[in-house]
Amino acid sequence: MITSQRRRAEALELVERLVADNLVVIKTPSEDEVAQWHKVVDFAKRHNLIPDGHHIKKTRQWNRDRDLHIRLHKGSHTNAKRDTSDRPPVPVPDSLRSPHPVVGELGDDQGRLVMPRELRRRCLLVLQELATEATRRGHKITARPVSEQHHYYGYGARSDGPRTPAATAKSISSSAASATRSRSRSY
């Protein structure tokens, strides 16, 4: 039997089993068997053998035998390309006038969106238009607190004191000295 015909038969059989049970479990598969099942699933996807409104996911389990689970899920796959032809493109403004409060707050915080000035300006313009369009579609845009660890301070001031090259060098040398002392102790 030719490989494509054999693969089609295997894919059709797999899809029939999935439609009936939603789950096919391959117990203790070898790496070659896993590769073969991946090919069968990919063939079914590529040749549209999967029922409309469904998608297949294959998952290697973390149990002792590393079983392979193949499931039939309702809905489109999260990575599937969506039809956006009915939506008009969202234009990006040339300047940031009367920004959304969240975008304005983000623009005022120099510790966030740390990038070259022109790129930061473009980023804020895109965020402004996203906020405007989301609001127009009925979504609510709110500010959320951001942990200090997500702020960039470079060599400027930070919450735990100034971070200058001299302070950094002093910190490194004092930690190296304490590490040397702790290594020389015997217990």
Side-chain angles (χ1 to χ4, degrees), residues 11-170:
L12 287 170
E13 180 186 342
L14 173 65
V15 169
E16 287 175 12
R17 287 174 63 189
L18 288 171
V19 167
D21 299 330
N22 269 359
L23 172 67
V24 172
V25 178
I26 292 83
K27 296 273 187 191
T28 321
S30 67
E31 292 303 316
D32 290 338
E33 289 173 313
V34 170
Q36 287 300 319
W37 280 108
H38 279 282
K39 290 176 185 177
V40 170
V41 170
D42 292 342
F43 186 93
K45 289 178 180 179
R46 230 181 6 261
H47 297 315
N48 298 322
L49 301 177
I50 301 167
D52 287 337
H54 292 80
H55 66 279
I56 294 177
K57 281 189 181 177
K58 45 196 181 300
T59 309
R60 197 74 190 266
Q61 300 300 302
W62 286 99
N63 59 2
R64 195 177 99 207
D65 298 327
R66 300 280 292 142
D67 296 340
L68 177 66
H69 285 197
I70 304 172
R71 292 184 187 274
L72 184 65
H73 292 275
K74 287 186 180 178
S76 61
H77 192 277
T78 53
N79 294 339
K81 189 173 182 179
R82 290 175 171 73
D83 181 26
T84 58
S85 61
D86 62 331
R87 295 186 188 138
V90 176
V92 176
D94 293 330
S95 62
L96 193 60
R97 293 188 191 118
S98 62
H100 186 281
V102 174
V103 176
E105 185 180 314
L106 186 60
D108 292 341
D109 187 350
Q110 294 300 314
R112 300 202 20 223
L113 292 179
V114 178
M115 56 187 76
R117 197 168 95 194
E118 261 313 296
L119 188 58
R120 187 172 198 275
R121 179 186 162 281
R122 175 79 176 151
C123 183
L124 288 168
L125 291 172
V126 169
L127 288 172
Q128 171 61 32
E129 194 51 43
L130 286 172
T132 302
E133 186 64 18
T135 303
R136 188 185 69 74
R137 293 183 184 189
H139 299 281
K140 184 177 179 184
I141 310 297
T142 57
R144 302 259 176 149
V146 176
S147 168
E148 284 294 312
Q149 74 184 30
H150 296 294
H151 280 76
Y152 176 78
Y153 295 99
Y155 285 104
R158 16 183 321 153
S159 61
D160 59 350
R163 186 173 182 187
T164 61
T168 305
K170 183 179 176 185

